[in-house]
Amino acid sequence: MCDEEIYRPTERFCSPLMKTTKKTTKEERERERERERELSMTGYEEDIMEWFDGIAANAGQTQRETLRRILETNHGVEYLKRWIGDQGDELRNMDSEAIESLFTSLVPLSSHADVEPYIQRIADGDSSPILTQQPITMLSLSSGTTEGRPKYVPFTRHSSRTTLDIFKLAAAYRSRIYPIRAGGRILEFIYSSKQFKTKGGLTVGTATTHYFASEEFKSKQKSTKSFTCSPPEVVSSGDYKQTTYCHLLLGLIHWEQVEFVTSTFAYSIVHALSALEDLWEELCEDIREGKLSPTRVTEASMRKAVLEELKPNPSLASRMEKGCEELKRSNWLATVPKLWPNAKYVYSILTGSMQAYLKKLRHYSGELPLVSADYGSTESWIGVNLDPTSPPEEVTFTVIPTFSYFEFIPLKKTSTTFTTVEQLVAHDFIEAEPLPISRVKVGEQYEVVLTTFTGLYRQRLGDVVEVSGFYKGTPQLNFICRRKLILAVNIDKSTEKDLQLVVEKGSQVLSRSKAELVDFTSHANVVEHPGHYIIYWEIKGEVEESVLGECCREMDLSFLDHGYVLSRKCNSIGPLELRVVDRGTFKKILDYYIENGAAMSQYKMPRCTTNQVLLRILDACTVKRFLSTAYKSAS
């Protein structure tokens, strides 16, 4: 087995400073230690980038060897035997191209639904080699926003190792542009979820929860010489409100040491800094007194860990109070650089559904760069961001060909020139046969397919990507959208990206009133006739009803799908409805997801929902309704 072969840098570096026997002063020893840290960082960066250059240059062959290792490792498992029999000996005698051809010709493409019964058997305690030869003792829980409910995904040591490797690789490329001080701190808004056991005794939690508890997470901090502000007891508490309070408090205490601000998803940073607007006075009081609010933080182990880092600091409290008072007067513009002046950038996943939070994140970040984190899923990491200077809207992800075996289904849209409604019925992607990594083309769009060390074989991920170029021999991808259609009433087909663009158009109108869109979601109402789209908005600030009516009309006109436009013109889809909800409504939805097992670190607001509980929350909190006046003359 070759988990160890994912990345093993050469251990060529040995600092000569470690060999000295000369008597030195305390100051000289400290300078030596600092120099040693700097040299150690350089050695690790050069090693991992050299490793990546090697596998990227031979990406096609690396991929075939990765597939060979997956099949050799898991040969004889029940799922594979169903399609290719028990061909372990034969595989060892075949070249990698023949193995690739055999595998892709005999094993069918799959979805999570296909593998779900196998995973359920594992969860229930079946220890036979069903998907992997290695025992599966943990299951990851996806966010659940794609299919409306969380799903189990196998989690093994390989999952933690690849997470460590991609974090180290990305950190190496970031440090070339934004070098950080060795021994600095990271203000990480990271959260573990509550874990539970399946019927068969397997531990279930989010992938981030498993990783934060792993030795690899500790190793990542040591190897990159940067440490999170918060101790493990804060990260693992399972109560996101208490954890957020402690993250903010410790971040303010270590304000001079903070090198960058980060979280898994952009939402978590925006949520935390939004909480700071309400909590800053209490936080400053705790800093002044060297105490920890008994009402904000009640969890015993977390209190103990945080109190060990606290001592009365009136001067720091006064400094932070002055800073927050100034920020409040400027509507918290540039919060990050003003409170953490040594921070170099803000780092998080900023693509896909997180683009909705870019405007607010830029507001909080001021002129600090927003650096996009890497591309992956609960199933596997896929690509790394090699260019930290790329704006989030233009970022590309370079595929790492040792993590999984990747295939790409070519996607072509049918003709977009239509004259009748009937012609729109088949308006969707046309698929071709999946291609290996070496045969994708620049400018073409594909759906990603994964075969993993953790027991998933030719599984369709549902992500649509576009190949923007190549780094040496491995493709660079732009994330386009989730393929799944999220809004449909009739023959219309509106994706998450379509919705995002529509909401951006509407929020541009909203911004003229100096109001702010806090968050949004949508629902396709097919109960009424004609069916219609409903978009829910939470707004900060006062807005005249005439402006909201204009926002609604602008969004209705901004849906460009031909099926939607023609259906609106002939009134087979009714006017778009905008529903404005009370402040705090989307936090209620967050609480609902957290209470049902989601983790703050992986939380993504569903941009379209059919969940009846969510709809009841949204409808109960609706304070204003508007119907679009677009297309009236046509109907």
Side-chain angles (χ1 to χ4, degrees):
M1 168 57 190
C2 39
D3 272 1
E4 292 77 11
E5 295 178 36
I6 298 166
Y7 161 59
R8 181 184 287 163
T10 57
E11 297 180 359
R12 63 186 182 193
F13 172 77
C14 181
S15 170
L17 297 174
M18 298 172 69
K19 301 177 182 178
T20 182
T21 56
K22 175 185 172 183
K23 289 186 177 180
T24 56
T25 66
K26 181 180 178 181
E27 290 76 14
E28 287 173 333
R29 288 196 300 273
E30 182 56 39
R31 284 197 296 271
E32 286 178 357
R33 280 195 290 269
E34 182 62 29
R35 174 64 176 155
E36 195 172 312
R37 291 190 198 105
E38 292 172 359
L39 287 171
S40 177
M41 173 70 84
T42 301
Y44 124 73
E45 290 172 349
E46 289 179 353
D47 270 351
I48 196 166
M49 289 191 289
E50 181 180 315
W51 163 79
F52 185 65
D53 280 353
I55 63 168
N58 300 289
Q61 182 60 28
T62 302
Q63 274 279 274
R64 289 189 286 272
E65 289 302 320
T66 298
L67 178 60
R68 173 195 286 277
R69 293 199 301 267
I70 291 171
L71 297 180
E72 286 180 348
T73 300
N74 293 326
H75 80 271
V77 301
E78 181 180 327
Y79 186 88
L80 285 177
K81 286 174 69 174
R82 178 181 176 187
W83 306 109
I84 61 176
D86 189 0
Q87 300 190 41
D89 292 334
E90 291 85 346
L91 288 173
R92 277 188 283 273
N93 295 323
M94 295 172 65
D95 64 42
S96 57
E97 289 188 12
I99 290 174
E100 183 177 52
S101 177
L102 175 74
F103 176 74
T104 56
S105 63
L106 295 181
V107 179
L109 294 172
S110 65
S111 66
H112 184 76
D114 296 315
V115 77
E116 195 168 29
Y118 297 90
I119 297 177
Q120 190 60 55
R121 284 171 51 198
I122 295 169
D124 290 342
D126 190 335
S127 59
S128 62
I130 298 172
L131 294 174
T132 67
Q133 288 289 355
Q134 289 186 320
I136 294 173
T137 59
M138 290 183 173
L139 295 173
S140 292
L141 202 62
S142 72
S143 64
T145 55
T146 300
E147 298 181 0
R149 60 184 178 86
K151 59 186 180 184
Y152 290 157
V153 176
F155 186 96
T156 69
R157 183 74 186 277
H158 182 276
S159 309
S160 291
R161 291 178 69 91
T162 54
T163 300
L164 171 62
D165 290 338
I166 198 168
F167 282 4
K168 289 167 69 174
L169 180 61
Y173 278 93
R174 290 199 309 278
S175 68
R176 296 196 310 175
I177 309 297
Y178 310 114
I180 62 174
R181 297 171 296 174
R185 296 270 188 166
I186 309 170
L187 179 49
E188 287 191 280
F189 294 106
I190 52 179
Y191 307 78
S192 292
S193 66
K194 294 177 181 178
Q195 296 177 313
F196 62 91
K197 296 286 187 179
T198 67
K199 177 182 174 181
L202 276 68
T203 301
V204 178
T206 60
T208 49
T209 297
H210 295 327
Y211 177 67
F212 296 147
S214 71
E215 287 300 316
E216 282 78 9
F217 180 63
K218 298 174 187 175
S219 174
K220 187 262 294 191
Q221 297 188 79
K222 292 176 183 176
S223 62
T224 58
K225 301 295 185 293
S226 294
F227 298 86
T228 184
C229 289
S230 300
E233 292 85 354
V234 171
V235 177
S236 63
S237 81
D239 186 314
Y240 82 90
K241 293 179 182 177
Q242 295 187 54
T243 297
T244 298
Y245 189 89
C246 292
H247 280 328
L248 289 168
L249 179 62
L250 293 165
L252 293 174
I253 289 171
H254 297 295
W255 66 279
E256 284 186 292
Q257 295 172 281
V258 171
E259 295 292 309
F260 63 94
V261 177
T262 185
S263 188
T264 308
F265 288 114
Y267 173 82
S268 296
I269 303 176
V270 170
H271 174 271
L273 296 178
S274 175
L276 176 67
E277 296 182 27
D278 299 322
L279 298 172
W280 66 273
E281 290 175 302
E282 292 176 68
L283 290 164
C284 290
E285 183 63 20
D286 281 357
I287 294 171
R288 175 175 286 105
E289 302 294 331
K291 63 181 181 62
L292 183 58
S293 169
T295 56
R296 294 291 181 185
V297 183
T298 59
E299 205 276 322
S301 62
M302 180 160 44
R303 286 189 63 83
K304 182 176 182 295
V306 174
L307 284 168
E308 288 176 356
E309 298 196 33
L310 283 176
K311 61 181 179 180
N313 195 334
S315 62
L316 177 59
S318 297
R319 175 190 178 90
M320 291 303 169
E321 279 179 336
K322 181 180 178 182
C324 288
E325 286 168 353
E326 291 175 356
L327 284 166
K328 186 177 180 180
R329 288 193 291 271
S330 65
N331 193 28
W332 299 90
L333 178 66
T335 294
V336 175
K338 288 179 181 176
L339 295 183
W340 295 281
N342 293 317
K344 311 297 190 302
Y345 55 89
V346 176
Y347 179 61
S348 189
I349 293 174
L350 304 171
T351 52
S353 60
M354 292 301 112
Q355 285 189 318
Y357 306 110
L358 283 180
K359 183 177 180 181
K360 188 65 175 178
L361 193 57
R362 285 189 168 112
H363 179 84
Y364 283 135
S365 302
E367 295 184 1
L368 281 184
L370 299 186
V371 180
S372 289
D374 309 298
Y375 172 34
S377 64
T378 304
E379 293 83 356
S380 173
W381 285 104
I382 297 167
V384 61
N385 176 10
L386 300 185
D387 183 5
T389 64
S390 290
E393 295 86 351
E394 300 172 15
V395 66
T396 63
F397 303 102
T398 305
V399 176
I400 303 177
T402 57
F403 281 8
S404 293
Y405 176 71
F406 301 103
E407 296 174 81
F408 299 87
I409 301 173
L411 301 176
K412 297 277 189 186
K413 283 193 173 182
T414 55
S415 171
T416 54
T417 303
F418 301 102
T419 57
T420 68
V421 170
E422 289 74 16
Q423 289 177 307
L424 288 163
V425 175
H427 179 218
D428 199 356
F429 288 114
I430 296 175
E431 298 179 358
E433 288 299 309
L435 300 175
I437 201 172
S438 57
R439 293 179 55 198
V440 297
K441 296 180 180 179
V442 174
E444 298 295 317
Q445 292 189 358
Y446 303 89
E447 180 183 348
V448 180
V449 177
L450 300 173
T451 295
T452 72
F453 284 94
T454 57
L456 304 177
Y457 304 97
R458 305 198 79 198
Q459 183 159 318
R460 302 176 70 137
L461 195 57
D463 286 1
V464 178
V465 298
E466 183 175 301
V467 177
S468 61
F470 285 84
Y471 177 76
K472 300 186 181 296
T474 194
Q476 296 184 298
L477 310 175
N478 292 123
F479 179 84
I480 302 300
C481 63
R482 294 289 299 170
R483 182 169 179 184
K484 185 177 180 182
L485 301 170
I486 64 168
L487 282 171
V489 171
N490 188 8
I491 57 171
D492 50 306
K493 295 177 173 70
S494 297
T495 66
E496 181 177 313
K497 186 175 183 181
D498 295 330
L499 178 64
Q500 178 68 44
L501 293 172
V502 163
V503 171
E504 285 176 6
K505 289 283 190 181
S507 62
Q508 288 171 10
V509 176
L510 181 69
S511 63
R512 297 174 198 162
S513 299
K514 297 185 178 179
E516 177 186 329
L517 179 62
V518 175
D519 218 330
F520 71 92
T521 189
S522 64
H523 173 63
N525 183 339
V526 293
V527 176
E528 298 179 7
H529 184 76
H532 66 288
Y533 294 177
I534 302 172
I535 297 179
Y536 296 89
W537 274 11
E538 182 177 324
I539 298 170
K540 180 180 179 181
E542 297 298 321
V543 189
E544 293 182 2
E545 293 199 358
S546 59
V547 174
L548 291 170
E550 187 181 349
C551 291
C552 182
R553 183 177 186 277
E554 181 66 26
M555 286 193 291
D556 200 4
L557 289 170
S558 297
F559 280 103
L560 300 180
D561 173 74
H562 292 278
Y564 184 81
V565 173
L566 287 183
S567 296
R568 283 289 289 117
K569 287 181 176 179
C570 68
N571 204 35
S572 59
I573 293 179
L576 175 74
E577 183 177 0
L578 171 61
R579 297 188 184 181
V580 180
V581 297
D582 265 329
R583 285 296 309 275
T585 297
F586 282 80
K587 286 186 178 178
K588 292 181 181 179
I589 293 174
L590 168 64
D591 288 340
Y592 165 76
Y593 271 97
I594 299 296
E595 288 167 6
N596 284 274
M600 186 67 176
S601 284
Q602 289 188 204
Y603 176 71
K604 292 184 284 186
M605 179 63 212
R607 292 305 169 203
C608 179
T609 185
T610 57
N611 185 308
Q612 292 303 307
V613 177
L614 264 62
L615 290 172
R616 284 197 292 271
I617 294 172
L618 290 162
D619 291 341
C621 295
T622 295
V623 292
K624 294 179 181 178
R625 302 185 183 203
F626 301 88
L627 286 176
S628 168
T629 58
Y631 299 104
K632 272 197 169 182
S633 59
S635 60

